[in-house]
Amino acid sequence: MNLRVWLLLLGAVAIMSFAAMVLVVVPAALLTEVKPSPGLEPYTASEASGRGVYIREGCMYCHSQQVRDTTITTDEARGWGRPSVPGDYVYDAPHQLGTMRTGPDLMNVGARLPDRRWQLLHLYQPRAVVPWSIMPSFPYLFEVKAQAGPDDEVVTVPPAWAPESGVVVAGPEAVALVDYLLSLDHTQPLAPTEATPRAR
Amino acid sequence: MTPPESPPAGTAERSALDFAGREPALLCFVTAVFWLLVGSIFGDLASLKFQFPDWLADSGALTFGRLRTAHLNAMIYGWSSLAMLGVSCWLIPRLVRQPLAWPRLAVGGAMIWNIGLLSGVPGLLAGATDGLEWLELDWRFSDPWLVLGGAMVGGALLRTVLGSKVEHLYVSVWYTAAAFVWFPILFVIGNLRVYTGVESAAVNWFYGHNALGFWLTAINLGAIYYLLPKVLGRPIHSYQLSLVGFWAFAFFYSLNGMHHLVGGPIPTWMITTSIVASGMMVIPVGAVAVNHHMTMVGRFGALRYSPTLRFVVLGAISYTAVSLQGIFTAFVEVNRVTHFTQWTIAHSHVGVYAFVTLTLFGSIYYILPRLVEREWPSASLIRWHFWLSLGGIAAYVLALIVGGVLQGMALLDPARPFEESVTVTLPWLAVRTVAGLVLTAGHLVFAWHIALMLSRHLRRERRLPPWHEAQPRLYEESG
């Protein structure tokens, strides 16, 4: 009998609509008022394009971008920064919070590892700077040239990892990606009310 | 009871019902197995990257982040979803005693769904991703095809259900028909490109968790609810309980998603809601567990005779296991250790492999002979497939559970350098690679067996009477 079918389907839609109301619509309304955290600036063109590379290469599948609540985790004690708040993410779409820490959290990697040359070499060959690393190398974001041009960022590669001849030069995507990584700095302290979202 | 002389009553009607959905179901199964093989290769390559991070590193298409994504999407939207469409096209007509409505629409829908994947999955390797877990397929050239194709198959199925003339809707119809209403809503909400910041994260996990629940889980629970009693020739343990289980499942599961963000930067009330709802999942999970397992109790001897039953019973046990593991993982005390570790990968494979994939294998072992009216050519190929699947997934899950807990303990202790959280997982990740290769071997056996069966069907070779036309007596009638 069709009435039963309609009741089933309407019931199914009603329950899903309720859940979407609670977990999508209401939060969307509440979160429109979130202000950027202190010191947070919109991404520059290069940082934004580097973020695109970060997304494209799937960095998120091994690196989180969220420092978790100190009452249940030791993220802060590990030196990864203060707990993250919604204001840290206002310029992020899509988000890259991540679900894995095969590699370390990157929420504040720009503050923790601010050396550009280190970042470039690490992307070219992670094991050249971190021997135990299992991160993929990204040689295709770099070029090997006979001689570096005037505007080229040269990567100083240790002999064990260097090409047989020529110099390793950062490609435009590697430059953008490092710009993005160095922009990841959410270390500025929050105003007291923002720092304790849990109390609200 | 004496064995019947002629085919038992109902056989002709069932064959007629199976016939209308034959073409879409076959198309779905064959393409699903194609994506199973493709997804296996991606998965194995991604796993090998943990042992050989500099292997195949010169091309962006083969970097870990893209291979992993291609693996997930080929398995979820390729293998699982297509196989589930196939199961639905066969199961719904049987349960509502109506031939599949608009079978050509369903065939077209399955083709269009495949077009979406054929452009989307290579697109992922080329770097076109929407950047949200479970929602990576490109919103321009992949998602619209999936929406259209899914709507066409779903339209045919819902039309069939609405034309139902049966007095009573069996519980499998509830799960299956509702899934075809739930999934389009979820898929559209998840793929809208209007969310930023933490709202993007909240919607991501609202979708990700519910795609597992209201698509993969719903259809496969429906299949188990049909196949267990059908193969055993015995009604489900408590029918009332199955209906309570259904509505509790819908209500609590839909609020679970935020437990993926425990301790994270979204409002606490959202996370708390999801943790509470996750705990409440013991009600529907318990209801389903009692029904599935109590139906089985006392009939384990039948496992020897029915490959379908072997796979489906393991699938049912795994559903209970993955649900309990999931509830457990939502609690803060566990989550603070296991979140962000390989434990999560183990959990997702208990769900999508040990529960969903094994159930789909069992379903295909049951359905395909009825579609081509020909028995599986080889009992030993089925045995190989079964033991490779079981051995592979057991090793896979155990290795990553152990590796994940060790990783989590190392991560939680700030006195231990990060390096330790990486090195403790390495032996377990190596076991995982071997387990993945074993699973792939099982998939190759399965695909070969299907190819063998279909080629004999297409060449119209003489067939032996299918076993299912005989009526085995599994036990003596008492008294």
Side-chain angles (χ1 to χ4, degrees):
Chain A
M1 173 57 204
N2 276 348
L3 183 63
R4 288 165 190 274
V5 180
W6 282 113
L7 280 177
L8 165 70
L9 298 182
L10 288 176
V13 171
I15 285 186
M16 187 55 71
S17 308
F18 173 73
M21 192 61 73
V22 173
L23 294 180
V24 178
V25 178
V26 171
L30 292 176
L31 291 167
T32 48
E33 289 167 23
V34 173
K35 298 274 181 295
S37 297
L40 191 71
E41 298 289 332
Y43 297 112
T44 65
S46 178
E47 289 163 4
S49 105
R51 189 166 198 275
V53 179
Y54 184 96
I55 291 168
R56 188 189 72 191
E57 305 304 344
C59 305
M60 180 233 326
Y61 301 105
C62 291
H63 294 283
S64 58
Q65 286 189 19
Q66 48 174 317
V67 182
R68 296 203 292 170
D69 184 357
T70 44
T71 56
I72 58 164
T73 75
T74 52
D75 289 3
E76 195 170 26
R78 199 169 267 289
W80 284 344
R82 63 160 171 77
S84 307
V85 294
D88 295 337
Y89 301 93
V90 288
Y91 303 119
D92 289 2
H95 80 95
Q96 296 287 294
L97 264 63
T99 47
M100 287 293 282
R101 281 182 182 162
T102 309
D105 186 83
L106 299 183
M107 193 63 184
N108 295 300
V109 69
R112 191 164 75 239
L113 294 161
D115 185 342
R116 243 188 124 72
R117 291 170 307 163
W118 187 95
Q119 292 288 357
L120 282 170
L121 176 57
H122 184 249
L123 288 173
Y124 179 74
Q125 176 46 270
R127 281 151 292 286
V129 277
V130 183
W132 48 266
S133 172
I134 55 170
M135 182 172 123
S137 48
F138 296 91
Y140 56 91
L141 300 179
F142 296 80
E143 288 173 60
V144 178
K145 287 187 177 177
Q147 271 195 320
D151 299 328
D152 284 341
E153 281 198 70
V154 177
V155 186
T156 319
V157 184
W161 304 97
E164 287 178 12
S165 66
V167 289
V168 177
V169 169
E173 292 185 332
V175 170
L177 180 54
V178 169
D179 284 344
Y180 171 64
L181 291 174
L182 294 183
S183 81
L184 291 174
D185 180 349
H186 305 86
T187 50
Q188 284 215 27
L190 301 169
T193 50
E194 290 170 284
T196 52
R198 252 131 257 288
R200 274 186 281 153
Chain B
M1 235 180 115
T2 52
E5 301 291 320
S6 56
T11 302
E13 188 202 347
R14 279 198 296 274
S15 298
L17 290 174
D18 290 354
F19 192 75
R22 212 170 82 126
E23 286 183 0
L26 272 175
L27 175 65
C28 288
F29 288 149
V30 170
T31 52
V33 172
F34 166 76
W35 288 109
L36 176 69
L37 297 181
V38 170
S40 304
I41 294 168
F42 293 153
D44 291 336
L45 288 177
S47 185
L48 281 162
K49 294 275 186 171
F50 284 94
Q51 285 84 50
F52 309 104
D54 286 321
W55 180 54
L56 301 177
D58 289 329
S59 150
L62 297 175
T63 195
F64 172 80
R66 298 196 205 173
L67 280 172
R68 177 206 192 277
T69 310
H71 164 69
L72 183 140
N73 284 277
M75 289 308 199
I76 300 300
Y77 301 105
W79 155 244
S80 308
S81 294
L82 278 164
M84 283 153 48
L85 293 179
V87 169
S88 306
C89 285
W90 175 85
L91 185 57
I92 287 281
R94 275 206 169 196
L95 287 172
V96 301
R97 297 182 80 164
Q98 280 289 310
L100 182 69
W102 306 331
R104 292 215 172 143
L105 188 73
V107 169
M111 285 178 176
I112 288 177
W113 184 280
N114 272 290
I115 290 174
L117 293 172
L118 285 171
S119 56
V121 173
L124 293 172
L125 294 180
T129 168
D130 289 355
L132 294 164
E133 237 174 302
W134 284 70
L135 289 164
E136 290 100 341
L137 287 171
D138 192 273
W139 63 285
R140 292 154 302 183
F141 54 78
S142 184
D143 292 339
W145 295 111
L146 297 189
V147 171
L148 179 64
M152 288 164 72
V153 180
L157 285 166
L158 290 177
R159 178 72 195 86
T160 312
V161 176
L162 287 169
S164 159
K165 293 198 181 70
V166 290
E167 269 302 299
H168 180 86
L169 286 181
Y170 184 64
V171 61
S172 294
V173 183
W174 294 47
Y175 279 103
T176 312
F180 280 90
V181 175
W182 283 325
F183 189 57
I185 299 176
L186 287 167
F187 196 77
V188 170
I189 291 180
N191 275 297
L192 288 180
R193 298 171 62 78
V194 297
Y195 318 106
T196 58
V198 290
E199 174 68 1
S200 158
V203 176
N204 189 176
W205 287 113
F206 177 74
Y207 172 81
H209 194 82
N210 287 345
L212 192 62
F214 291 96
W215 181 234
L216 299 173
T217 300
I219 300 236
N220 282 286
L221 284 185
I224 295 174
Y225 263 122
Y226 180 77
L227 290 171
L228 269 190
K230 189 77 182 169
V231 174
L232 289 172
R234 166 189 219 199
I236 205 80
H237 177 73
S238 160
Y239 197 67
Q240 297 296 324
L241 199 55
S242 70
L243 300 184
V244 173
F246 174 84
W247 291 110
F249 167 87
F251 185 72
F252 294 124
Y253 212 127
S254 57
L255 293 169
N256 270 355
M258 302 308 121
H259 69 206
H260 292 257
L261 294 163
V262 171
I266 66 166
T268 313
W269 66 264
M270 295 172 73
I271 296 171
T272 312
T273 304
S274 282
I275 293 177
V276 173
S278 303
M280 295 304 282
M281 282 298 290
V282 294
I283 297 172
V285 169
V288 168
V290 165
N291 257 336
H292 287 174
H293 306 323
M294 292 306 287
T295 304
M296 195 58 208
V297 162
R299 295 290 182 279
F300 284 102
L303 288 174
R304 265 179 292 165
Y305 306 108
S306 168
T308 294
L309 201 60
R310 282 202 289 274
F311 280 101
V312 168
V313 165
L314 266 182
I317 293 171
S318 301
Y319 174 68
T320 308
V322 74
S323 304
L324 294 177
Q325 190 196 11
I327 293 168
F328 194 55
T329 308
F331 296 142
V332 170
E333 291 73 13
V334 179
N335 195 281
R336 63 200 288 267
V337 179
T338 62
H339 199 35
F340 299 129
T341 73
Q342 299 293 340
W343 167 285
T344 311
I345 309 298
H347 179 58
S348 65
H349 284 79
V350 183
V352 178
Y353 202 96
F355 162 44
V356 168
T357 296
L358 293 187
T359 302
L360 290 172
F361 286 155
S363 307
I364 292 176
Y365 276 121
Y366 190 84
I367 297 171
L368 212 50
R370 287 158 176 80
L371 295 181
V372 300
E373 298 181 303
R374 173 181 298 278
E375 199 36 83
W376 290 94
S378 161
S380 73
L381 284 179
I382 299 180
R383 270 198 299 278
W384 271 101
H385 179 211
F386 178 76
W387 289 110
L388 288 170
S389 297
L390 178 57
I393 193 60
Y396 189 112
V397 168
L398 288 175
L400 289 194
I401 282 183
V402 175
V405 169
L406 293 175
Q407 182 188 7
M409 307 285 271
L411 278 172
L412 203 57
D413 180 355
R416 296 169 70 181
F418 187 82
E419 176 184 355
E420 279 191 37
S421 77
V422 175
T423 48
V424 290
T425 60
L426 293 180
W428 306 103
L429 289 168
V431 174
R432 190 268 296 270
T433 296
V434 174
L437 292 170
V438 170
L439 291 175
T440 304
H443 301 161
L444 287 171
V445 171
F446 183 53
W448 167 247
H449 203 180
I450 290 182
L452 208 60
M453 184 166 171
L454 292 182
S455 77
R456 288 185 185 177
H457 173 66
L458 292 174
R459 284 187 276 124
R460 296 188 166 69
E461 279 180 23
R462 192 178 65 84
R463 70 185 183 100
L464 298 169
W467 299 332
H468 66 262
E469 283 183 7
Q471 294 282 296
R473 285 157 70 200
L474 298 179
Y475 54 93
E476 295 295 326
E477 294 280 323
S478 60

